[in-house]
Amino acid sequence: MPNLSWRDAVIEILSNSPEAMHYADIAEAIADQGLRTDFGATPATSVNVTISYSLQNDGTNSPFIRVDRGRYWLRDLAQNQVQPAAAPNQPQASEPDETGLINAFGMYWARNNVLWANTPRILGQQQPGSTAVDFCNQKGVYLLHDGRAVVYVGRTTEQPLGIRLRQHISDRLNGRWDRFSWFGVYSVADNASLNTTATVSYDLSMLIVTMEALLIEGLEPPQNRKRGDDFRAVEFLQVEDPEIQKTQIVKLMDELKKKL
């Protein structure tokens, strides 16, 4: 299995693409094609940083070109198009890809995939193959679902996400939810830790965008585009706590012993 550098892997993906790609899609393609063995916790960010570094330091010698916000292509391929892929007066270096107030989120995670210990691990990954992240200490808002219906909306301020969710397995909501969604203000570093000390500056426009996105994600109105305009928070996929399988194996072995 090859283990290309991020730069070489990005070039490999874009060289076979008929059009510009978003950096998150490039990261997924690298994983799908097995071009790397190590992805860290934030492969999409690694791709974006790799391209941005080249654009900022190599200038017109960079193999990449920025077509639109977050979307890139190879300079040689873009120049062969009848219509230039990027406007002549458009900056080629990457602009900060602001996510707004919400930096990470997860949708419809299964309650049964969490081992509800005193301090539960709320595990997720950016894409298959990337390092799992524990979101127990995430802050923000969350939804409890019964199937796909929202039955409760909560916030995590004084207590983090994992502790708040754990409380709902022993309070009046215990038998009323089987899934949960969450929207967190903390971003994720490549070492799989949460950036709990990062400060966030925002304006009224960003606040409105975030409010709209939360309503669209939570309610899923049929006439709206998913996520809303300019919502760029990173979605994470749930990972089952590995201790659950170990517990099930031990339980099975104990039952077999009783029968023998």
Side-chain angles (χ1 to χ4, degrees):
M1 183 177 183
N3 190 27
L4 302 180
S5 67
W6 279 113
R7 180 186 175 97
D8 289 343
V10 172
I11 292 175
E12 176 68 21
I13 295 301
L14 291 180
S15 65
N16 295 306
S17 175
E19 59 184 3
M21 297 176 63
H22 191 274
Y23 62 83
D25 296 328
I26 297 173
E28 291 183 6
I30 291 173
D32 290 342
Q33 296 185 27
L35 300 181
R36 283 184 59 85
T37 57
D38 180 19
F39 293 94
T42 57
T45 302
S46 296
V47 169
N48 194 28
V49 169
T50 297
I51 298 175
S52 299
Y53 181 86
S54 176
L55 290 171
Q56 293 167 4
N57 291 275
D58 300 335
T60 56
N61 292 323
S62 171
F64 310 112
I65 188 170
R66 179 179 180 274
V67 174
D68 198 357
R69 187 181 184 118
R71 299 180 67 246
Y72 304 97
W73 208 9
L74 292 182
R75 186 178 302 272
D76 291 344
L77 295 178
Q79 291 175 345
N80 290 334
Q81 298 296 304
V82 175
Q83 296 295 328
N89 60 349
Q90 187 178 25
Q92 298 302 303
S94 174
E95 298 173 358
D97 201 29
E98 299 290 345
T99 58
L101 301 180
I102 302 300
N103 284 283
F105 69 102
M107 295 298 299
Y108 296 104
W109 285 18
R111 168 176 168 170
N112 290 339
N113 284 344
V114 179
L115 187 63
W116 297 104
N118 290 335
T119 304
R121 293 191 297 177
I122 312 297
L123 300 177
Q125 59 184 186
Q126 194 173 109
Q127 66 184 46
S130 60
T131 305
V133 180
D134 185 359
F135 290 99
C136 179
N137 291 322
Q138 183 65 273
K139 297 288 185 71
V141 296
Y142 62 92
L143 310 175
L144 300 183
H145 307 276
D146 179 13
R148 295 190 67 85
V150 177
V151 297
Y152 184 82
V153 178
R155 67 177 183 266
T156 63
T157 51
E158 298 299 324
Q159 296 176 313
L161 176 65
I163 302 303
R164 288 292 291 133
L165 290 173
R166 184 179 180 278
Q167 292 172 353
H168 294 311
I169 67 173
S170 59
D171 62 12
R172 65 181 181 84
L173 296 171
N174 178 35
R176 301 182 180 182
W177 63 283
D178 57 6
R179 292 186 176 273
F180 63 95
S181 299
W182 57 272
F183 303 87
V185 297
Y186 296 146
S187 61
V188 177
D190 194 52
N191 64 358
S193 66
L194 297 180
N195 293 317
T196 58
T197 59
T199 57
V200 180
S201 61
Y202 63 91
D203 55 21
L204 181 61
S205 175
M206 184 182 294
L207 177 61
I208 293 173
V209 164
T210 302
M211 292 171 61
E212 177 201 39
L214 290 179
L215 290 172
I216 291 176
E217 284 284 354
L219 300 177
E220 294 187 331
Q223 299 303 317
N224 280 94
R225 286 192 314 162
K226 190 173 177 62
R227 296 194 186 184
D229 298 329
D230 293 328
F231 185 61
R232 296 181 176 84
V234 179
E235 182 172 8
F236 284 79
L237 309 175
Q238 188 180 23
V239 175
E240 181 185 54
D241 192 322
E243 292 298 321
I244 292 179
Q245 292 186 1
K246 293 180 182 179
T247 301
Q248 292 174 342
I249 292 174
V250 171
K251 183 178 179 180
L252 178 60
M253 292 178 64
D254 288 341
E255 291 179 352
L256 291 173
K257 289 179 182 179
K258 292 179 181 179
K259 294 179 179 180
L260 293 176

